[in-house]
Amino acid sequence: MDKQRNIPVFPSSDSILVEEFMQILLSDKCITYELCPEKSGSVINLIDKVCKAQLHVMPKQHNCIDAFVCTDSPLAILKQNAGLVSIKLQSILKKPFICTISMRDRNSIALSGEIMGLNEFDIRMFLALSGDPIRLGDQPHAKAVFEGNSVKILELLACLNNGRDLHANVLNSPLRTLYGFSVINSYAKNFDILKNKMESKIRAGALALFTQPIYDISITNMLREWLCEYNEKYHMQCVLMQGFFPVTRYKSAVFLHDKLPGVFIPTEWIEELEKAKVKGVEYERQKGMEKSINLFMKMYSNYPKIHFMNNNNTLYARKILDSI
């Protein structure tokens, strides 16, 4: 028997992808795109959608995605594990992946172990969430954990970067650098509460804040003012990634307005889609797409750092990106 041990050496190309994205994040322009794994044993459908829309490449005169954000069972609906999907897709698509991770389903031991394991595969960027309530999803029998909120994940990442766990125990060997991001609402009945939440996340070390969908440029400007204030206060370089979600149906506009906390869609937008609906589905979609493209162009012109979300509808995303 050959006594020599064949220890696999993982390629470093994915590590380079991560570091390159962190430079892009701090540059003038940055676009990320949200991918949601399916309740399936395969990711081939997701890969096919990305490839058909060419979101992972940079063809001439096309704007590409700088990084993908892989969701972690949003709305508590069962999906494939975000970390494992991120490993596979980052390797195949050769684009950096930001892995969403929440406090809803794991305690700090499980989270720490998962992050350390993902680090070995160069999944090193994490979007920290508290997690949507179980009651919203399709697994009513499940038990929520919620040991803490998203700030605890940011604190955990900081500890691991310092070579220790949450209880200050020294790790056997250091990890590659981890990068922690978080989310923030784009609307609140009490904006002082929203501002305080931003401060707590920047103070905890968030390097970027991804907002809920924005439909009013003045919201972006307000959030950026707060961001500058807290970056200066805590000597940080946190970046704002303004959320964009195209709305092409009246039903979708009403759902976002009424059911999604922290999002506000102007009444004028809802009324226009309601009138368009009377003229048929195609006209409604056309009107909604026109408004969405117009909003995207305004957002990009005002502040070209955008997180694109549209339920894996990559072909629509390609159409909107080509409007720049």
Side-chain angles (χ1 to χ4, degrees):
M1 182 182 294
D2 187 356
K3 294 182 179 181
Q4 183 177 357
R5 297 176 62 192
N6 294 317
I7 300 175
V9 178
F10 295 101
S12 61
S13 58
D14 287 358
S15 183
I16 295 172
L17 290 175
V18 173
E19 303 304 333
E20 287 179 343
F21 173 73
M22 291 307 299
Q23 293 301 313
I24 292 172
L25 183 64
L26 293 172
S27 68
D28 293 335
K29 300 176 182 179
C30 183
I31 298 178
T32 57
Y33 184 79
E34 181 179 276
L35 286 175
C36 184
E38 299 177 344
K39 189 189 292 187
S40 166
S42 172
V43 294
I44 189 64
N45 189 43
L46 207 54
I47 294 170
D48 185 55
K49 286 183 176 183
V50 171
C51 292
K52 279 184 177 179
Q54 293 189 305
L55 293 184
H56 64 308
V57 297
M58 187 180 287
K60 287 185 178 179
Q61 299 180 0
H62 280 195
N63 290 285
C64 78
I65 300 301
D66 295 305
F68 292 98
V69 175
C70 189
T71 63
D72 182 25
S73 295
L75 299 179
I77 296 173
L78 178 63
K79 305 290 184 181
Q80 266 203 47
N81 179 271
L84 297 177
V85 171
S86 295
I87 292 172
K88 179 128 185 177
L89 268 59
Q90 181 169 274
S91 175
I92 292 173
L93 298 175
K94 299 303 177 186
K95 280 287 184 179
F97 266 72
I98 300 166
C99 177
T100 303
I101 195 162
S102 76
M103 294 298 306
R104 178 191 59 222
D105 307 321
R106 314 160 183 81
N107 65 14
S108 57
I109 299 175
L111 283 167
S112 300
E114 184 170 344
I115 290 168
M116 287 191 291
L118 290 171
N119 179 271
E120 184 71 11
F121 293 89
D122 276 310
I123 301 300
R124 299 190 285 115
M125 300 185 291
F126 296 94
L127 183 60
L129 303 179
S130 296
D132 295 313
I134 294 293
R135 60 179 169 77
L136 296 179
D138 63 350
Q139 307 294 309
H141 63 282
K143 183 177 180 180
V145 179
F146 288 118
E147 184 182 313
N149 57 27
S150 59
V151 169
K152 186 157 190 173
I153 297 177
L154 295 172
E155 293 169 349
L156 188 159
L157 293 171
C159 288
L160 292 175
N161 275 333
N162 288 324
R164 297 177 180 272
D165 63 23
L166 271 176
H167 291 278
N169 300 307
V170 179
L171 305 181
N172 289 341
S173 62
L175 278 66
R176 300 179 186 91
T177 303
L178 302 167
Y179 300 102
F181 313 135
S182 195
V183 297
I184 190 168
N185 287 343
S186 58
Y187 176 79
K189 293 181 179 179
N190 186 332
F191 279 98
D192 287 336
I193 294 176
L194 185 60
K195 188 176 181 181
N196 290 337
K197 286 185 177 180
M198 174 183 279
E199 180 177 15
S200 68
K201 294 182 179 188
I202 293 175
R203 185 173 60 239
L207 299 175
L209 292 176
F210 290 68
T211 80
Q212 289 279 31
I214 290 175
Y215 296 91
D216 183 346
I217 300 299
S218 66
I219 294 293
T220 296
N221 297 335
M222 178 187 68
L223 294 175
R224 289 180 67 195
E225 286 181 9
W226 296 352
L227 189 79
C228 289
E229 176 186 339
Y230 292 131
N231 273 339
E232 182 176 354
K233 180 176 180 179
Y234 295 105
H235 308 289
M236 293 285 289
Q237 287 184 292
C238 185
V239 172
L240 187 75
M241 293 295 293
Q242 51 186 340
F244 171 77
F245 190 99
V247 179
T248 60
R249 301 291 302 274
Y250 167 71
K251 182 178 179 181
S252 299
V254 171
F255 174 82
L256 289 172
H257 186 273
D258 294 344
K259 303 296 183 181
L260 192 60
V263 176
F264 174 78
I265 296 184
T267 304
E268 170 263 338
W269 191 308
I270 297 174
E271 290 177 347
E272 282 195 38
L273 286 179
E274 186 177 21
K275 291 177 182 178
K277 181 183 176 184
V278 177
K279 297 183 179 181
V281 173
E282 287 305 314
Y283 182 79
E284 179 188 10
R285 285 178 176 163
Q286 178 185 341
K287 191 68 177 178
M289 181 59 77
E290 288 175 2
K291 292 187 69 63
S292 295
I293 289 175
N294 184 52
L295 173 65
F296 186 85
M297 292 177 69
K298 284 182 178 178
M299 291 173 70
Y300 191 82
S301 176
N302 179 59
Y303 176 68
K305 292 180 184 287
I306 297 177
H307 176 50
F308 201 127
M309 303 167 275
N310 74 334
N311 295 327
N312 295 345
N313 197 332
T314 57
L315 293 178
Y316 269 123
R318 175 79 275 162
K319 183 176 180 180
I320 293 173
L321 286 169
D322 286 344
S323 68
I324 301 175

